Each structure stands twice: as structure tokens, then as C-alpha cells.
Amino acid sequence: MEQSTRAIHMGFPSLDDSHAAAIAMTSAYDFTSAQEASDRFNGVTEGNIYSRFTNPSVEHFERKLTSLENAEAAVAFASGMAAYLALAMTFLKQGDHVVLASGIFGTTTHLFRQYFGQFGITATCVDLDDQHAWQAAMCDRTRMILVESPTNPLLKVADLSWLSGLAKRNHALLVVDNTLLSPVNQRPLNHGADLVLHSTGKFMDGQGRTVGGVIAGRKDVIQPLKNYLRSSGTCMNAFTAWVLSHGLDTLTARMAMHEQNARKVEAWLRQQSCVKQVFSTFSPVHPQAEVIAKQQTGHSPVISFIVEGGQAAAWRCIDALNLVARCTNIGDTKSMVTHPASTTHCRYSQEEKLQYGISDGLVRLCVGLEASQDIIQDLGQALAASQVKHSLREVVSLS
Ligand SMILES: *Cc1c(COP(=O)(O)O)cnc(C)c1O
């Protein structure tokens, strides 16, 4: 079956004969006998015990995702960060070392440096496209490589099959955060990744209603994560899973529409004189265009651009928007912008911002599903406003 069909039909839970999947809103499950209870607890037979470990609605979502990512199994979590927490708690111990891509989600860097650092786990950050730096960063204590490809907000990509070779030679797990592309546009397991991770409240939900996370991969690497989940309780709830399973029905169609819109907006942005630079994975001048063609089957509608005039101009642009929302999320039907330097990346030092290219004039846009001409019109008037140096009050007091 094609992926769009699997996104709709896989793993339907047999709760009753309703055409739309029902939600399994239950904490616990009945056993027909004391023997059955004992068998389930002892792993002799499969079956539900308690919704902290398994729930039919959560399993429906996990089965869909397993199929979409070409995995053997998947496990859902309370959030994307809970999934990262599970990775470290399950696979790392004191003294271990992790290599992180430098452009990875800011909170992920913070979690590894700040919190796992407390338990003797060290982390090195490496530029995604610097293969020498990756090789130099690996040591005999390196147990995990964590990358996001493409990165947000600068849309750099990692060569996944090359990284997979590096990970295997060093007996480390390669984990790829695929949130920006969704399984429609990239399947990292096909390129040698051991695990693929998603923050599910983004494109999988599609309408920004829920918070959740999921990890997919081979059965032998997912099972230890499930064991951790049973002990830690950072599980996804049934309602969130239900929203996500329905969200996945339209994922293929939405991703295609997002990309179509984003391409139009990007082409328009590149023609604006007050826009100094535009970042996207479909840019014809992307330095890693070959890697992108090799491993992506489509593109993310996350694009970024640098406004002439630094932070003041970027803020004026953001504040002047009427249709496009000021919101630090991605993957919604609604278009959204954020100013990375003062929000998502505010915990980085000025030096790190400079090193990672998070400049003051940088604006990140996630193009939604509104008509592209309406998005462009709103951006047009906001960019015009961004170049007006004096506020009305200043002009009045000057005159
Ligand atoms: C949002 C996001 C996360 C964090 O996930 P939460 O569900 O918000 O905890 C991690 N990685 C990427 C790429 C994200 O966009």
C-alpha cells in the first residue's frame, strides 16, 4: 500500500463497530480470571493491564507511525522532550558521551547539558555539515548521536547515511529528530538511523491542539524504551493519541499543500529588497542540495529570512502582521512566525548565536495552509512596516 493509504488505514483499533476510531478512555482493563491477570503481568500473554503501559488508542497511533516510518515498532510519550528524556534514561549511564548537532532544538541541548550533565553524561555539540568535526567528536565513551535534519531555523541538513556509518563504527545509536519533515518527506530508518523521533504536536497533529512525542525503530531498541515508560509514567494520553491518529489521515495531503504554499512564499521573499537572505531546503542554492535530493522525498514549510535592520526591524515586521500569527510553534494550518534570537534561542550566548547563525534580523516562518496570496500580502505590508525607522510617536514629537 502507498504511504497515504497506510496513514489512513493502519492499525485501526477494534473497540466497537464505529466507522471513526473510538477513544479508549480508560485507566485499567478487566481480566476474565486471576490466571489471565497473572499471565499478563508475567508477560506470558499479551494484553492490556493499565494505561500507563498500553492503551488501544495510543497503540493505534503507534501502529500507524510504525508503518509510516518503515519501522518494526513505535512508542509514544507525553511530549517530544519526554521522548528525549526516555532516550537518555534508557540508553545512557554515568560516564557516557553524546554528540549533538549544534543546530538542534534549544531545549534538547539544554536537557543534555544541564540535566544529564548532573549525572556525569557529557555532550559535545558539532556543526551538522562539518564531517571532520563529527569524526573528531567521537570517543570510546560515545553512545549516541542526536541530529535533527533539517535543523530549525536555518534548514541545514545532515547526511544521514554517512552519520549512520560513523555511528555504527563507534557502536553508538543514531537518533534522528524528523519533526520538521514528517515521515511523508523523510524516512531516516531507510538511511541507516537506529531510531526516529517526533514531536507529534507539530505536523502530525496538524492543527496545534496537542503535545506529544513518539520514537520508532527496530523492536529490539523500542522494547527497552517501553520498559522505561512502564516505570517512569511519561506516557501519551488516549485523547492526544486519538487526535493524532485522525491527524495522520490527512498528513500526506497537508504536507503537499504546505510545501506548495511555502515554495510560493519563498520565491516571493527572495525578490524583496529588504530581505537579505532566505533559508529553505528547496532553495536552488542550498549548499547541501545533493544530500537533500538523496534523502528527502519532500520539503518542510519552515523557512527563515533575515530582515534588513537587525532585531528592531525584525520585531517591527513581526508586530505588523495581521494574518500570520506570532507563535513559536510549527506544523499548523495557520501560518506562524517567531524571532529565534529572542525566543527559542534566547538561552544561547551571543557568541553561540553568532556561531550558529542565529542573527538578530532572523525571522522564522512556518507556512500554513491559507491561500498563498493572502500570506504574501500580509508579509508584504509587514516588511514595508519593518523598514519605517521611526514610530508614529517619534515622528509626532519630532515635528
Ligand atoms: C517542538 C520540538 C521538540 C520538542 O517537543 P515537545 O513536544 O514540545 O516537547 C523537539 N524537537 C523539535 C524539532 C521540535 O520542533
Side-chain angles (χ1 to χ4, degrees):
M1 267 192 277
E2 288 299 311
Q3 208 176 24
S4 53
T5 313
R6 284 185 278 128
I8 296 168
H9 286 281
M10 282 309 287
F12 196 84
S14 52
L15 294 175
D16 53 30
D17 59 0
S18 60
H19 180 68
I23 315 181
M25 290 300 288
T26 182
S27 320
Y29 304 86
D30 290 332
F31 309 113
T32 53
S33 64
Q35 181 68 51
E36 187 178 66
S38 169
D39 286 348
R40 286 195 190 171
F41 267 87
N42 289 291
V44 177
T45 56
E46 283 197 3
N48 295 311
I49 297 173
Y50 186 57
S51 283
R52 169 157 39 81
F53 340 150
T54 57
N55 171 281
S57 294
V58 176
E59 283 183 341
H60 181 205
F61 169 65
E62 288 170 343
R63 281 194 296 265
K64 277 195 176 197
L65 195 88
T66 299
S67 172
L68 293 178
E69 283 290 6
N70 199 16
E72 289 176 5
V75 54
F77 295 94
S79 68
M81 294 323 299
Y84 275 107
L85 179 66
L87 277 179
M89 294 297 282
T90 305
F91 297 113
L92 301 177
K93 57 183 191 314
Q94 188 176 22
D96 283 350
H97 174 248
V98 179
V99 189
L100 301 168
S102 60
I104 208 162
F105 192 66
T107 311
T108 306
T109 312
H110 193 68
L111 178 69
F112 276 84
R113 279 192 188 161
Q114 172 82 24
Y115 293 100
F116 298 132
Q118 292 177 4
F119 303 102
I121 293 165
T122 51
T124 308
C125 290
V126 171
D127 254 344
L128 207 55
D129 48 5
D130 185 345
Q131 297 193 340
H132 293 296
W134 278 102
Q135 274 161 331
M138 301 299 288
C139 66
D140 54 6
R141 294 178 295 108
T142 309
R143 292 278 72 87
M144 195 181 283
I145 292 180
L146 281 172
V147 294
E148 221 175 283
S149 184
T151 58
N152 166 16
L154 293 173
L155 291 311
K156 283 189 180 185
V157 297
D159 185 332
L160 299 182
S161 52
W162 184 84
L163 274 181
S164 141
L166 183 72
K168 283 194 174 64
R169 284 194 297 283
N170 288 274
H171 308 290
L173 286 173
L174 173 62
V175 183
V176 178
D177 186 329
N178 201 23
T179 301
L180 253 69
L181 287 174
S182 90
V184 171
N185 291 333
Q186 180 170 270
R187 283 171 290 287
L189 300 177
N190 292 356
H191 302 280
D194 295 290
L195 291 165
V196 54
L197 182 151
H198 288 274
S199 167
T200 60
K202 316 289 170 58
F203 293 102
M204 294 203 179
D205 177 306
Q207 295 174 47
R209 297 157 292 187
T210 59
V211 172
V214 70
I215 302 177
R218 293 189 312 274
K219 273 198 177 120
D220 65 309
V221 261
I222 294 298
Q223 192 54 49
L225 288 163
K226 288 193 172 174
N227 298 345
Y228 163 78
L229 183 67
R230 184 170 176 166
S231 300
S232 68
T234 52
C235 53
M236 177 177 282
N237 68 72
F239 179 71
T240 295
W242 179 82
V243 169
L244 292 171
S245 291
H246 287 275
L248 287 182
D249 284 3
T250 57
L251 183 68
T252 311
R254 283 187 284 109
M255 293 315 287
M257 268 186 81
H258 273 295
E259 182 178 333
Q260 212 175 40
N261 260 0
R263 282 178 179 275
K264 288 182 188 153
V265 172
E266 197 252 10
W268 176 85
L269 277 170
R270 273 194 281 121
Q271 289 165 356
Q272 306 311 302
S273 56
C274 62
V275 172
K276 294 205 290 195
Q277 203 176 344
V278 186
F279 303 88
S280 75
T281 56
F282 43 79
S283 157
V285 294
H286 195 293
Q288 295 155 290
E290 256 175 59
V291 178
I292 291 169
K294 190 174 71 172
Q295 67 194 25
Q296 290 186 201
T297 47
H299 298 274
S300 175
V302 174
I303 58 184
S304 297
F305 55 95
I306 300 175
V307 182
E308 188 82 59
Q311 172 162 325
W315 279 25
R316 280 195 296 270
C317 169
I318 289 168
D319 288 344
L321 290 163
N322 297 317
L323 178 70
V324 178
R326 287 165 287 274
C327 181
T328 50
N329 201 13
I330 57 170
D332 200 309
T333 49
K334 302 183 184 98
S335 295
M336 296 175 285
V337 290
T338 192
H339 180 249
S342 60
T343 60
T344 51
H345 291 69
C346 68
R347 278 182 290 198
Y348 285 62
S349 67
Q350 196 56 36
E351 198 183 23
E352 284 173 313
K353 282 183 199 170
L354 216 67
Q355 187 191 339
Y356 302 148
I358 309 295
S359 60
D360 289 341
L362 187 74
V363 175
R364 182 194 77 195
L365 170 66
C366 185
V367 180
L369 302 183
E370 305 95 338
S372 58
Q373 60 267 38
D374 290 328
I375 302 168
I376 288 170
Q377 201 212 352
D378 195 31
L379 287 170
Q381 63 82 24
L383 280 174
S386 79
Q387 300 304 303
V388 178
K389 301 260 167 10
H390 298 289
S391 70
L392 190 58
R393 195 184 312 144
E394 283 171 295
V395 173
V396 170
S397 66
L398 283 174
S399 58

